[in-house]
Amino acid sequence: MTERKALLAIHLGALMFGLSGIFGKLADSAPLAIVVGRALFAVLALALFAQLFGQAGGKRPGGAQLGLLGLGGLLLGAHWLTFFQAVNVSGVAIATLGFASFPAFTVLLEGLLFRERTRPSEFLMVGVVCLGLVLVTPSFDLASQGTAGLLWAILSGLLFALLSLLNRASTPGVDPVRAALCQNFTVLACFLPFAWPLLPGLSLLDWFWLAMLGVLCTGLAHSLFVASLRVIKARSAAVIFALEPVYGIAFAWWLFHEVPTPSMFAGGALIILAIFASARMAR
C-alpha cells in the first residue's frame, strides 16, 4: 500500500465510523437489537478481513489476554448500546458530539491508570471539551430528550475510553484485526440471549442496515485503519479520525434534517478543535 492509498483508506475508514449513527437510526430498531445485528455482521466481516490483513507475525493471545479481550468485548457492547440509545433519544448530531468527548476521558484516565503525567495542555483540552458539551446541551433539564441523549452519549464516550485503555494494556503483539474479532464475538455471545426475542420483528430492510453497520462501519473501517497504519504515522491517522463527528453530523443534516443550532455549531467546533489538538499532541 502506497502512502497515497493509505491516506485514502484512513479517510474512508473515518467516513465509515462517522456513519455508525446514521445506519443505526435507519435500522429503526431497539438499541439491543442493533448491537447484536452489528456484532453478527462484524464477526463475519472481520473473520474475512483477518485472512486478508492479519499480521503473519502476530502472536496468539494467552489465557490472561483472552480474558481481557472478553472484558473489552463487554465494554464494546455497552458502548454501542449507550450510543444507539443516545441516537434514539436525541438524534445523530447530539449523540455524535457527546461521544466525541472520549478523548477527554482518555487523557484523564490514562494519567490516572497508567500513572503518566498529564500536561497542562491536555487539561486545557479537557476544559475545551467540557465547554463544548455545555454549549451542545439543549437545556439543563433531565426531562429533556436532548439532555438525556447527550448524557447517554457521554457515557458511551467514557466506555469507549475505558475500552481504548484496556486494549492498550491487553493487546501488545496481538494482531489488531483478530483482537477486534474476539471482542465482537464476545459482544455477540453475551448480548444475543437478551436480544433474541427482538430479532424476529426486524424487517429485511432493518437487516440490510445492520449489515451495512457491521460490515462497513466495523469490519471494513477497522481493517482499513489497521492496514493504513502500516504506511502512515499513528498521529496522522488520529488527526484524520477527528473528522468522524463532522461526517456524522453532515449526513444527519442531509438525511434527517437534524439542523444544528448556533450553540451546537459552537460547541461542536470546540469539541472537534480539542480532538484535533489532542491528536496533534499524541505520540
Side-chain angles (χ1 to χ4, degrees), residues 3 19 27 34 38 43-44 52 75 86 112 125 132 134 154 166-167 178 198 206 213 234 243-244 255 267 274 281:
E3 184 174 354
L19 288 174
I34 295 174
R38 179 178 190 174
V43 165
L44 297 175
L52 300 176
L75 286 173
L112 179 65
M125 185 272 290
V134 169
I154 292 172
L166 180 66
N167 284 341
R178 289 188 170 87
L198 302 173
D206 292 335
L213 185 61
L243 294 171
E244 178 189 341
L255 293 174
M281 290 186 292

Side-chain angles (χ1 to χ4, degrees), residues 39-233:
L40 171 63
F41 289 104
V43 165
L44 297 175
L46 285 166
L48 173 62
F49 293 137
Q51 299 299 317
L52 300 176
F53 299 110
Q55 295 177 353
K59 67 179 183 181
R60 291 180 177 273
Q65 281 184 315
L66 283 174
L68 291 174
L69 285 171
L71 177 59
L74 291 176
L75 286 173
L76 177 64
H79 150 62
W80 284 350
L81 190 64
T82 51
F83 177 74
F84 290 119
Q85 177 67 16
V87 171
N88 273 5
V89 171
S90 61
V92 176
I94 290 179
T96 303
L97 288 173
F99 164 68
S101 64
F102 82 86
F105 287 119
T106 304
V107 167
L108 294 175
L109 292 171
E110 197 166 34
L112 179 65
L113 298 177
F114 291 92
R115 300 186 181 279
E116 296 177 350
R117 185 175 66 87
T118 303
R119 293 172 291 179
S121 57
E122 291 172 324
F123 279 119
L124 177 62
M125 185 272 290
V126 173
V128 171
V129 169
C130 291
L131 177 59
L133 290 173
V134 169
L135 292 174
V136 167
T137 306
S139 64
F140 294 97
D141 181 6
L142 293 178
S144 164
Q145 282 193 317
T147 303
L150 182 65
L151 291 176
W152 278 113
I154 292 172
L155 177 58
S156 177
L158 172 60
L159 291 168
F160 188 79
L162 289 171
L163 173 63
S164 301
L165 296 176
L166 180 66
N167 284 341
R168 172 185 168 182
S170 64
T171 58
V174 179
D175 176 10
V177 175
R178 289 188 170 87
L181 174 60
C182 179
Q183 290 181 336
N184 278 270
F185 183 79
T186 301
V187 174
L188 180 61
C190 293
F191 286 78
L192 181 59
F194 302 100
W196 185 258
L198 302 173
L199 300 184
L202 298 180
S203 67
L204 284 178
L205 186 59
D206 292 335
W207 281 111
F208 172 77
W209 294 124
L210 292 177
M212 295 297 99
L213 185 61
V215 174
L216 297 182
C217 301
T218 308
L220 179 60
H222 188 89
S223 299
L224 287 173
F225 179 68
V226 171
S228 63
L229 285 179
R230 298 179 181 177
V231 180
I232 63 177
K233 294 180 179 179

